[in-house]
Amino acid sequence: MTAPKIFGIAGWKNSGKTGLAVRLVTEFTRRGYSISTIKHAHHDFDIDKVGADSYRHRQAGAHEVTIVSGTRYAIMHELRGAPEPAFEEILARLAPCDLVLIEGYKREPIPKIEARRLEAANREPLAPTDPHICAIAADHAVVDTSLPVFDLDNTGAIADFIAAVVGLGQVSA
């Protein structure tokens, strides 16, 4: 099996990463591609409701809890003190698709675009110290770079750029 095509969206908190990721998933899906995403959270998170059966299974000590319905399934894996899995381990668990968009994981050595917004919590550019950043998407003028710069809202042009960088071929009908 060939490795999936991967492209990341990096940036500080409130830099527009999630909005860009959502627009790109919508755009690539509209173009007929199968897209998966991986989102890295820097904090404890929960996708389960307190009191739900699956929550009770986890609270009882289950290592993995899988919830399955006619429309979706989710597998929650409790680390129970074990270290966070490596990026490659998470990637290996995904079903085959045309492109995996990564939000976060700003230190991974994958091609990525840096999202920048004037409202971001931290405005220090990532690109100068990350050779894997191959473009910048911003809501303001960016002058001190030789990288391609896109308007943060120009989803079509950003999608075209990503498709070119990862070698996303035509959708097979």
Side-chain angles (χ1 to χ4, degrees), residues 52-63 65 80:
D53 292 347
S54 55
Y55 178 88
R56 293 173 63 201
H57 293 193
R58 285 191 305 134
Q59 290 301 108
H63 185 61
V65 176
R80 307 257 183 236

Side-chain angles (χ1 to χ4, degrees), residues 140-151:
H140 57 280
V142 176
V143 289
D144 55 348
T145 185
S146 60
L147 297 174
V149 177
F150 296 93
D151 181 296

Side-chain angles (χ1 to χ4, degrees), residues 17-100:
K17 296 183 306 292
T18 300
L20 179 56
V22 169
R23 291 190 307 274
L24 286 169
V25 169
T26 301
E27 177 65 16
F28 280 121
T29 301
R30 184 190 65 74
R31 294 180 184 191
Y33 294 103
S34 168
I35 306 298
S36 292
T37 63
I38 297 176
K39 157 79 172 141
H40 188 259
H42 286 283
H43 45 78
D44 190 20
F45 71 94
D46 207 333
I47 59 170
D48 212 357
K49 292 187 182 82
V50 173
D53 292 347
S54 55
Y55 178 88
R56 293 173 63 201
H57 293 193
R58 285 191 305 134
Q59 290 301 108
H63 185 61
E64 285 192 331
V65 176
T66 306
I67 309 168
V68 183
S69 76
T71 52
R72 74 185 52 88
Y73 74 90
I75 300 173
M76 288 175 286
H77 182 101
E78 287 295 313
L79 293 175
R80 307 257 183 236
E84 179 179 315
F87 176 73
E88 293 76 19
E89 290 178 61
I90 298 301
L91 202 55
R93 287 179 163 253
L94 295 181
C97 62
D98 295 316
L99 175 66
V100 181

